[in-house]
Amino acid sequence: MSPLSGYLLLSALLFSIGLAGALTRRNAILVLIGIELMLNAANLNFIAFWRYGPNPAALTGVMFTIFSISVAAAEAAVGLSIILAVYRHSKSINLDAMNSMKG
Amino acid sequence: MTISFFIIAAITIVGTAAAMSLKNLVHCVLSLTLGLVGLALLFLLLGAQFVGFTQILVYVGAVAILAVFAIMMTRSAEPMTNLPPASFRLSGVLIAATVFAVLAWAISSATRSLPSQSSQPEVSVNQIGVALMHQFVLPLEVIGVLLTAALVGAAILAMDETGASR
Amino acid sequence: MNWIVRNLWLVPVLPVLAAGISALAKRKSRVLAASLAIGSMSLSFLLSVWAFAHVLALRNSGQPSLQVFNFRWFQFGNEWLSLGWMLDPLTAVMLVMVTFVGLLIFIYSVGYMEHDDNFMRFFCFLALFAGAMLGVIISNNLLLLFMCWEIVGLTSYLLIGFWFSNPKAAAAGKKAFIVTRIGDVLFFLGIVWLYAQSGTLLFYDNGAGFLEHSAISHLLTQTTTTGICVATGIALLIFCGAVGKSGQFPLHVWLPDAMEGPTPVSALIHAATMVAAGVFLVARVYPLMSAHTGLADVITTSTALQAVTWVGSFTALFGAVIAVAQYDIKRILAYSTVSQLGYMMMGLGVGGVSVGMFHLITHAFFKSLLFLGAGSVIHGCSGEQDIRKMGGLGKLMPVTFVTYAIGMLALCGFPLFFSGFWSKDEILHAAHTWNISQAPFYMGAFAALLTAFYMSRQVFYVFAGTSRLAEEHHDHAHAADTSSHHGSGSPHESPAVMTVPLMILSAFALLLGFLGTPAWPWFQSFLEDAPVSVNFGAFLTGGMLPVMLSSSVIVLLGLTLGWWFFGRKPIESADAPDNFGKLSPSIFTALGNALYFDAIYGATFVKLTTLLSRISDWLDRWVWNGAVQTVTYTVLGFAHLDNFLDTNVVNSGFDEGCDTVSRSGKLLSMLQAGRIQGYLKIVAGALVVFTIFLLWKAKI
Amino acid sequence: MPEIIDQIFVLLKHWLMGYVPSLLKPVVSAILSVVPVLLAFPLLFAITTVLERKGLGRMQNRYGPNRVGPFGFLQPMADGIKSLTKEDIIPRTADHLVHLLAPVVIVIASFLVYAVLPIGRNMVIANLNAGVLFFFAVGSMVELSVFMAGWSSRSKYSLLGAMRAIAQMISYEIPLVLASIVVIMAAGSLSTVTIVNLQATYTGIFPHWYVFTPWGLTGFIIFMIAATAESNRCPFDLPEGESEIIAGYYIEYSGFKFALFFLGEYLGMFATSAMAITLFLGGWAAPFSFLTWIPSYVWFFAKLLALICAFIWIRGTLPRLRMDQLMNFAWKFMLPLSLINIFAAGVWHYMPAGASRWLVVTLVIAVACVLLSRGLRRNQWFHVRTYRFAS
């Protein structure tokens, strides 16, 4: 097993853990955290491919990760403030309670 | 495939798995922090020093604190009593497991075509800065705009409505 | 490279800095705002004079007077975008003109805006405007020019709508912004096209700029699908920007309305500098404008320049005709500005850069003089702007009267001693020798006659006879241009801070013409980098003297006509019909309403837009919504049918079937349960399916 | 000879490493680098506590500790023994694991930070490429431990204190980082070693410390104010304000855990001071070229002690701020000023050397300072206190 596939497997595992969390938990904050985890798994992929890729001098993977981290930070900020707004509205952040858009 | 990789990977997996499965939300966030620190260590191991430290700074210093604040403000620090039904949880775990299985299959079947081990690339912060300011300056600006918009948007969203109308 | 060339950016940056600081500072410090704006403007003026002297020195030592400073600004992937600034005679002249006129108007504004509550905001905007305008002048890149151009447009909007509590002013600001935007969109299209074609937006870059030979000849070889040469197409698009900003027909409608702004703004922006930016733009890209494919001896004027000439000459005539029938002192000047800008465009078209620019410079001085004089009159009359209600001010405001008369004579082009004469005469002469058509010459000449006529009409209305102000003064206490607390005393002379700039400007209005007489065409040769000598013989060559004589006659005729109608016997009352208007009241009313252009636009373009939005609304309401409704009703119909069958035909037998239907409906509704996690599960499932599909495909 | 004294610790380590089998070399090398730091700074902590108590005592017109040992200098020993032998009280409702981990995390984070601080010439544990970033990244972990302490105690006071502390630390971390960016711009590197080496050169007898430039001075002042707030010290000590929330987030801690918190806080203060020295005050470099014969680590600790004394002095002098004042000051004064300072530093780099850039940059910063402080005053930042019911 090459080192790259080890990192890829780890990243796939992290992704699945994040996905499992996002699918099974009812608390909106935890779902958001699960999504963050999936994003981070993707970051690990970028870095691993940059490290073992054919042209590490191009820095593309590193750049992608830096931008992805900033986007994730923005996402976390906006997501958590949406959760706060929802909580103020319905006094709960249980995802089951957020079904007023249900058809 | 060094011993340090396995240790750090174990830390990461334990941290993230705990973050997704513990009952108490604060514990979840704390173990998430552990997992993300492990991820940052993996970045260091891969030679991406700048990204690793940025990861710690952003996730431990900002996102985790933000999540903790959100937990405190939504009063969800106490363990939840009304857990979703077991079938719901089981289906989610099953789907996640399937995803992992498929991805692992994909990775293992692609192992032959993956590039073999190369030497550790030397990347200094200076190079990253130069690349950010020249080659990637447009994405940088866009990220700046995005962060500003997110900042303003988050502030407006989180603003108390009664306070805002003052 | 010389210090001044390297640091030319200071000229626009200083006023912008002043604007920024006064925007940050506390609200009440008037002294700070005024001294910052005036101080930065004086520094810019000194630097401009230095730059001018540098260009002069270069010229005298025989070196090329064009100097550029470029730097890399931005990288897109692997492409660089360069910006830069340049110093050439055109830039130097414009710099000195803008900073000098701007400085005088800043000083004047201290007096004019003394009682306004938003004094600081005013100076902040003014300084920002000055910085942006200077940026337009020095930039060596069409994109940088466009950015400054847009800031100029923004400040123009802000300043026209300065008294935004007055709905007319707010509407005028909006109108100016939107109308100029029409031109600017086309201008921007031109920029994009140019970048796509030539790969650079620099004017001059040691042979690589798009105004230099290689790029232009490349542009000339390309043709579009419609058969127009690319160079011409781009030039026409850029000219559209100039049309919008310089108030050329058909986008002139905003300029008269812009007079709702404070008078110093009208003088600085809507007479001297900003509207001249369009003319300057055409002059700047003149190599592109004048590029043509034909052989030199067959066609000597490019299509783009012909368009410039025709638009310009028509605007010149058009503005002058409308100005005849206006009653608002500033509106007359506004239409006069439209007309004179048309003149400049015509000069550029028929005679080249130096001809148009000479009129731009002289016009900047005498038109700002006229506006400031009008401002002084308005200030003296407590905000009254209707010339019918003035009269007799010559005795009450002697300094204003004398300076105003000088400005008026300069605008009319009174022979020999006034700057307007020389610059206008040059344009007429160039038009006379134009080889395409003689029509622009006759249009210009007729416009000159009208100019003399309407200016004398205005002067006789305002300054001659006896004051008609008192009769209706109280009804007009809240006219637009008032700041409401000059007291309601009789008309009075303005303070020195306002009259001194008037005097300085009138000196320039008198003397500036002598820099560009045919006998000693220093200005023209300065712009064209040619040697200059005193040669009185120039009057005799090329039909110069007949043109001069005929234009003198035209001016005198115009003035006499004005005297005949308005000066012969004084106007008695404010309500009396116009002496000239009595000849044909209907046409006069039409002219007074600016030939109903606003109404026409309102009836066509605005209506069209409204109609389009109505159509979209209708489509949305009836077609799309109708389709949805149809589907809904179809489904409902089926449901009713089902209901009917169920209840009436086989009530009990179908219970099982109904249960099946309802169960499947529940099953389906689980897909749309409003639960994010349900959706997420589907996404994950899709991921699995796609990965398997891709792998399967890769295996095969 | 001075060189040998200067490098004596480095040489000592090399000499010792010669006796180590090659297999163990990385481990032993790390231990030999880390252990002295682990010993030196807690010792400094012990000295500082005495110094602080005695100094504050002098300022408040009383004696400090003077019973244990000569002049009371063995007081920290007594304190340490006392806290070790005290009963470790854990509230019954507390979250035991988190309650235990919080002081551990703060001490670990505080010690980790020392990895990138150059204590002397060639004396740094890890010369990281992104050293400054490492410092701030690890420093941000302190916030987490503060939260852990405050939340796990299940006490309103400690939770309130923790929230206050986190809000304050996050607010002041931004000016802290922005103030150090000017140095990074000037040095073109994030490596602390490079930054110090660049400052350790001399023009005539004067060194090239960044504090001797207008933007450097501004940055240094902003950095020190923000560092005071980061380490929760007076006048920014309202997270642990004794009179309001009776010691804030570590109210429920006792015995050795409390001592660990205390240690962590002081280590954090030393670390930020050391960072300020590294970034602005030339690190281990001597202030004059003729003083370079004094060993570099002596200079480093001399500067560090001077800054600690300044901290003590400030603590003895200034009253505590109110929460809104604290936040206003961070977001409306420090943040814009540090941004303008970055701009000024950029102007400095693009202008030719000479008096003109001094003038321009000083002017920019001064104008910004004046305008921003006027803005603060307009919002009645300091005002005469009125008592609604008393008057």
Side-chain angles (χ1 to χ4, degrees):
Chain A
M1 196 164 69
S2 73
L4 177 55
S5 59
Y7 281 104
L8 294 187
L9 273 178
L10 177 61
S11 133
L13 187 56
L14 285 183
F15 185 85
S16 307
I17 290 173
L19 184 63
L23 288 183
T24 53
R25 304 304 296 259
R26 280 290 157 87
N27 190 303
I29 294 174
L30 268 181
V31 173
L32 196 73
I33 286 175
I35 291 169
E36 290 280 331
L37 258 185
M38 303 199 300
L39 217 60
N40 272 304
N43 283 354
L44 183 60
N45 254 358
F46 280 123
I47 292 288
F49 273 115
W50 163 76
R51 162 72 174 81
Y52 295 105
N55 185 15
L59 287 176
T60 323
V62 173
M63 286 300 153
F64 219 110
T65 311
I66 289 172
F67 290 131
S68 145
I69 288 177
S70 352
V71 171
E75 180 225 303
V78 175
L80 288 173
S81 52
I82 287 175
I83 289 174
L84 275 190
V86 167
Y87 176 75
R88 252 204 305 272
H89 185 73
S90 62
K91 294 289 166 228
S92 162
I93 53 169
N94 196 331
L95 281 178
D96 282 349
M98 299 177 205
N99 56 2
S100 57
M101 294 280 276
K102 185 180 175 185
Chain B
M1 284 295 126
T2 55
I3 208 88
S4 48
F5 168 74
F6 284 111
I7 294 172
I8 297 172
I11 291 175
T12 314
I13 291 167
V14 167
T16 49
M20 290 289 97
S21 55
L22 287 179
K23 282 204 175 62
N24 191 319
L25 258 125
V26 175
H27 288 172
C28 288
V29 172
L30 292 178
S31 37
L32 172 83
T33 317
L34 180 71
L36 291 177
V37 167
L39 202 62
L41 291 178
L42 281 175
F43 289 165
L44 294 184
L45 205 63
L46 282 167
Q49 231 178 49
F50 184 79
V51 179
F53 294 146
T54 312
Q55 171 93 358
I56 294 182
L57 191 64
V58 170
Y59 278 99
V60 179
V63 173
I65 298 292
L66 209 60
V68 155
F69 262 83
I71 291 169
M72 291 290 124
M73 291 172 112
T74 54
R75 296 173 189 280
S76 44
E78 302 310 314
M80 274 176 298
T81 47
N82 56 338
L83 285 170
S87 64
F88 180 83
R89 282 186 291 164
L90 193 68
S91 71
V93 170
L94 268 181
I95 288 176
T98 321
V99 167
F100 175 69
V102 169
L103 286 179
W105 177 43
I107 292 162
S108 60
S109 67
T111 308
R112 269 169 295 130
S113 55
L114 288 178
S116 59
Q117 177 144 26
S118 59
S119 60
Q120 179 99 352
E122 278 298 315
V123 52
S124 68
V125 181
N126 211 343
Q127 279 170 292
I128 292 178
V130 167
L132 268 182
M133 277 297 158
H134 292 154
Q135 208 181 340
F136 295 94
V137 66
L138 199 62
L140 186 72
E141 301 270 321
V142 173
I143 279 288
V145 173
L146 174 82
L147 285 178
T148 315
L151 179 75
V152 174
I156 288 175
L157 274 173
M159 203 184 278
D160 197 359
E161 275 140 37
T162 51
S165 62
R166 216 177 335 151
Chain C
M1 203 181 285
N2 194 284
W3 187 90
I4 185 67
V5 180
R6 268 187 289 115
N7 292 294
L8 201 62
W9 56 275
L10 278 173
V11 176
V13 164
L14 283 173
V16 171
L17 219 58
I21 293 175
S22 56
L24 279 176
K26 272 177 81 177
R27 184 162 291 174
K28 286 284 160 57
S29 54
R30 287 164 184 256
V31 182
L32 175 75
S35 52
L36 266 177
I38 292 174
S40 68
M41 207 58 187
S42 328
L43 276 178
S44 290
F45 175 60
L46 290 179
L47 286 171
S48 307
V49 170
W50 186 355
F52 190 77
H54 179 61
V55 174
L56 264 186
L58 280 180
R59 223 175 70 83
N60 288 342
S61 60
Q63 287 163 309
S65 53
L66 175 78
Q67 301 222 328
V68 296
F69 183 93
N70 295 329
F71 60 94
R72 286 174 162 188
W73 176 53
F74 213 92
Q75 192 178 16
F76 303 96
N78 294 321
E79 288 284 311
W80 282 99
L81 188 64
S82 294
L83 292 187
W85 52 83
M86 61 187 295
L87 181 60
D88 69 341
L90 184 64
T91 308
V93 166
M94 284 294 286
L95 276 183
V96 173
M97 188 278 279
V98 170
T99 47
F100 183 61
V101 175
L103 183 60
L104 288 180
I105 292 173
F106 277 26
I107 294 170
Y108 176 93
S109 307
V110 175
Y112 192 86
M113 301 299 286
E114 198 185 352
H115 303 293
D116 201 279
D117 287 335
N118 294 312
F119 189 82
M120 268 198 85
R121 186 158 62 89
F122 184 74
F123 270 90
C124 174
F125 290 166
L126 266 193
L128 182 63
F129 162 75
M133 184 68 206
L134 293 169
V136 166
I137 293 168
I138 68 161
S139 67
N140 183 29
N141 179 306
L142 206 53
L143 188 66
L144 183 60
L145 190 147
F146 186 72
M147 293 181 211
C148 297
W149 179 274
E150 289 300 312
I151 301 175
V152 164
L154 170 74
T155 45
S156 162
Y157 162 75
L158 292 172
L159 285 168
I160 293 171
F162 185 73
W163 288 313
F164 52 79
S165 52
N166 176 3
K168 266 169 83 184
K174 224 159 52 186
K175 186 172 178 184
F177 201 67
I178 293 168
V179 172
T180 49
R181 208 71 324 96
I182 297 170
D184 288 351
V185 167
L186 295 172
F187 181 20
F188 192 68
L189 278 181
I191 293 176
V192 172
W193 193 3
L194 180 66
Y195 189 73
Q197 287 293 336
S198 67
T200 179
L201 289 175
L202 288 175
F203 293 135
Y204 299 98
D205 186 20
N206 298 324
F210 77 85
L211 286 187
E212 282 163 306
H213 183 73
S214 60
I216 286 195
S217 52
H218 169 72
L219 287 178
L220 282 174
T221 56
Q222 315 282 102
T223 47
T224 60
T225 47
T226 51
I228 307 172
C229 176
V230 167
T232 309
I234 293 171
L236 283 177
L237 282 174
I238 293 177
F239 178 59
C240 287
V243 166
K245 189 98 9 187
S246 281
Q248 300 292 296
F249 181 84
L251 296 182
H252 65 277
V253 285
W254 66 272
L255 188 53
D257 286 16
M259 298 304 137
E260 295 293 339
T263 304
V265 170
S266 307
L268 177 62
I269 301 188
H270 307 115
T273 56
M274 183 190 95
V275 291
V279 180
F280 171 79
L281 176 66
V282 175
R284 174 58 88 211
V285 297
Y286 196 77
L288 183 67
M289 288 276 174
S290 60
H292 58 88
T293 45
L295 293 168
D297 50 343
V298 182
I299 310 167
T300 50
T301 311
S302 68
T303 323
L305 274 188
Q306 288 184 39
V308 172
T309 310
W310 287 113
V311 170
S313 50
F314 183 73
T315 311
L317 183 58
F318 175 80
V321 168
I322 293 180
V324 167
Q326 299 296 321
Y327 286 118
D328 187 317
I329 183 167
K330 281 173 78 180
R331 265 178 186 266
I332 296 175
L333 292 177
Y335 278 109
S336 157
T337 305
V338 171
S339 160
Q340 296 300 312
L341 288 166
Y343 253 110
M344 292 171 210
M345 286 290 182
M346 178 172 127
L348 285 174
V350 297
V353 174
S354 60
V355 175
M357 286 306 293
F358 187 43
H359 194 57
L360 192 158
I361 299 291
T362 55
H363 172 259
F365 282 93
F366 61 65
K367 189 49 72 63
S368 51
L369 167 62
L370 282 173
F371 265 107
L372 294 188
S376 174
V377 167
I378 294 167
H379 191 84
C381 295
S382 313
E384 183 54 67
Q385 297 202 24
D386 193 331
I387 56 172
R388 283 173 295 191
K389 302 204 175 75
M390 296 175 180
L393 294 180
K395 276 166 265 157
L396 296 167
M397 307 175 76
V399 182
T400 307
F401 172 54
V402 171
T403 51
Y404 201 88
I406 290 172
M408 166 251 180
L409 288 174
L411 172 59
C412 302
F414 196 79
L416 289 180
F417 293 108
F418 294 91
S419 57
F421 172 70
W422 299 107
S423 55
K424 190 180 283 184
D425 187 63
E426 187 133 23
I427 293 174
L428 286 177
H429 177 242
H432 187 62
T433 52
W434 203 42
N435 53 0
I436 307 281
S437 164
Q438 285 288 318
F441 171 72
Y442 292 112
M443 286 156 96
F446 189 54
L449 173 73
L450 287 176
T451 307
F453 176 68
Y454 67 69
M455 281 316 289
S456 52
R457 169 175 176 262
Q458 187 194 34
V459 168
F460 283 126
Y461 255 117
V462 174
F463 292 104
T466 52
S467 175
R468 301 179 292 277
L469 192 63
E471 4 176 329
E472 283 188 68
H473 181 248
H474 295 293
D475 301 343
H476 290 265
H478 295 291
D481 205 301
T482 184
S483 29
S484 77
H485 23 48
H486 301 315
S488 52
S490 60
H492 54 87
E493 183 60 280
S494 301
V497 71
M498 289 164 73
T499 51
V500 169
L502 286 180
M503 288 188 248
I504 296 172
L505 282 173
S506 58
F508 275 89
L510 275 174
L511 299 174
L512 211 60
F514 295 106
L515 289 178
T517 61
W520 189 60
W522 178 86
F523 186 85
Q524 288 84 340
S525 63
F526 178 70
L527 283 187
E528 284 162 6
D529 251 349
V532 61
S533 61
V534 179
N535 175 20
F536 284 101
F539 283 117
L540 302 172
T541 53
M544 182 63 83
L545 211 52
V547 174
M548 276 174 66
L549 281 176
S550 56
S551 77
S552 306
V553 168
I554 286 168
V555 169
L556 290 174
L557 183 65
L559 290 175
T560 320
L561 276 175
W563 175 80
W564 178 263
F565 280 110
F566 303 106
R568 204 155 41 104
K569 43 183 193 281
I571 297 105
E572 289 307 330
S573 81
D575 303 327
D578 194 83
N579 285 342
F580 180 67
K582 277 186 283 191
L583 295 181
S584 172
S586 59
I587 297 177
F588 193 77
T589 320
L591 287 177
N593 287 314
L595 292 175
Y596 302 110
F597 256 90
D598 283 326
I600 294 170
Y601 284 166
T604 53
F605 294 114
V606 179
K607 271 271 168 62
L608 196 68
T609 318
T610 325
L611 191 70
L612 277 176
S613 68
R614 286 254 172 77
I615 291 173
S616 325
D617 181 46
W618 184 84
L619 279 177
D620 200 36
R621 248 174 229 270
W622 296 104
V623 178
W624 310 134
N625 196 28
V628 174
Q629 292 274 328
T630 316
V631 173
T632 317
Y633 282 120
T634 319
V635 173
L636 270 179
F638 277 118
H640 280 298
L641 196 69
D642 190 38
N643 187 11
F644 176 78
L645 287 173
D646 197 29
T647 49
N648 295 333
V649 187
V650 270
N651 198 349
S652 55
F654 272 81
D655 270 0
E656 189 64 25
C658 291
D659 278 350
T660 320
V661 169
S662 86
R663 252 182 279 129
S664 61
K666 262 187 197 142
L667 215 63
L668 273 178
S669 88
M670 266 165 72
L671 284 178
Q672 289 289 328
R675 287 187 191 142
I676 304 158
Q677 284 162 320
Y679 304 150
L680 211 57
K681 276 179 188 167
I682 295 169
V683 172
L687 175 71
V688 170
V689 172
F690 277 123
T691 319
I692 292 173
F693 174 69
L694 283 175
L695 282 173
W696 181 63
K697 230 178 121 184
K699 283 269 158 60
I700 297 169
Chain D
M1 190 58 196
E3 285 81 30
I4 293 176
I5 297 178
D6 190 27
Q7 295 296 300
I8 187 156
F9 294 109
V10 180
L11 294 174
L12 209 62
K13 185 184 160 189
H14 275 295
W15 177 70
L16 281 173
M17 289 298 288
Y19 294 96
V20 176
S22 62
L23 191 68
L24 289 175
K25 258 191 177 150
V27 180
V28 175
S29 166
I31 290 173
L32 284 182
S33 305
V34 171
V35 168
V37 171
L38 286 187
L39 291 179
F41 282 93
L43 188 68
L44 187 66
F45 162 63
I47 295 170
T48 307
T49 46
V50 182
L51 212 62
E52 175 148 24
R53 289 172 68 178
K54 286 184 88 75
L56 282 180
R58 288 297 147 132
M59 284 182 207
Q60 293 159 358
N61 220 355
R62 59 181 169 83
Y63 301 108
N66 60 355
R67 286 289 174 268
V68 191
F71 303 104
F73 263 98
L74 288 181
Q75 184 70 35
M77 300 291 162
D79 285 347
I81 292 166
K82 185 188 79 175
S83 61
L84 269 176
T85 52
K86 263 174 111 169
E87 187 193 353
D88 182 26
I89 303 168
I90 303 173
R92 197 187 325 148
T93 53
D95 194 317
H96 290 247
L97 185 66
V98 180
H99 194 258
L100 173 71
L101 279 178
V104 178
V105 169
I106 196 172
V107 170
I108 288 177
S110 304
F111 269 124
L112 266 181
V113 156
Y114 288 92
V116 292
L117 292 173
I119 296 166
R121 198 189 300 273
N122 301 329
M123 288 165 69
V124 62
I125 296 175
N127 179 11
L128 290 181
N129 206 334
V132 181
L133 192 63
F134 173 83
F135 182 89
F136 291 121
V138 174
S140 67
M141 284 168 76
V142 172
E143 288 153 29
L144 209 66
S145 89
V146 166
F147 170 76
M148 286 160 77
W151 176 78
S152 66
S153 307
R154 294 295 159 98
S155 152
K156 284 190 177 60
Y157 287 121
S158 63
L159 190 61
L160 278 178
M163 285 310 179
R164 270 188 179 192
I166 292 170
Q168 170 179 334
M169 282 170 149
I170 287 186
S171 304
Y172 279 88
E173 189 152 312
I174 297 163
L176 192 76
V177 174
L178 289 180
S180 50
I181 278 179
V182 288
V183 173
I184 295 163
M185 277 165 72
S189 170
L190 277 171
S191 157
T192 46
V193 175
T194 315
I195 289 172
V196 175
N197 284 342
L198 281 172
Q199 294 180 82
T201 51
Y202 298 88
T203 310
I205 59 165
F206 297 107
H208 293 150
W209 296 0
Y210 290 126
V211 78
F212 296 136
T213 52
W215 47 267
L217 184 63
T218 320
F220 177 65
I221 293 168
I222 295 174
F223 193 96
M224 285 316 288
I225 295 174
T228 322
E230 277 287 290
S231 47
N232 291 337
R233 283 189 62 92
C234 208
F236 300 105
D237 60 345
L238 61 171
E240 53 202 59
E242 295 88 344
S243 51
E244 304 153 29
I245 47 174
I246 46 172
Y249 50 89
Y250 47 70
I251 179 175
E252 299 293 353
Y253 280 90
S254 61
F256 193 59
K257 284 185 197 158
F258 179 77
L260 281 183
F261 260 113
F262 213 59
L263 174 67
E265 292 238 311
Y266 271 84
L267 284 179
M269 185 184 94
F270 297 159
T272 35
S273 310
M275 201 62 193
I277 290 168
T278 307
L279 290 176
F280 298 99
L281 296 177
W284 40 258
F288 298 106
S289 61
F290 53 82
L291 289 176
T292 43
W293 55 270
I294 299 177
S296 53
Y297 43 85
V298 174
W299 279 121
F300 178 81
F301 280 102
K303 288 174 191 174
L304 191 54
L305 267 178
L307 282 190
I308 289 168
C309 290
F311 272 123
I312 295 170
W313 184 20
I314 289 170
R315 181 175 172 185
T317 317
L318 291 179
R320 186 181 298 149
L321 269 74
R322 232 173 34 224
M323 196 67 191
D324 59 326
Q325 294 170 335
L326 182 97
M327 287 293 160
N328 269 340
F329 187 63
W331 292 101
K332 293 184 182 168
F333 184 80
M334 303 266 280
L335 180 65
L337 186 63
S338 51
L339 286 173
I340 287 166
N341 194 33
I342 291 173
F343 169 74
V347 170
W348 176 276
H349 295 309
Y350 276 104
M351 281 183 79
S356 64
R357 71 175 185 182
W358 275 88
L359 193 72
V360 169
V361 171
T362 314
L363 207 70
V364 167
I365 294 172
V367 166
C369 236
V370 169
L371 289 179
L372 287 172
S373 53
R374 284 177 78 156
L376 268 187
R377 245 186 301 160
R378 190 162 70 205
N379 291 341
Q380 300 284 302
W381 189 51
F382 289 121
H383 58 92
V384 181
R385 190 126 187 211
T386 52
Y387 296 90
R388 198 156 24 128
F389 299 110
S391 60

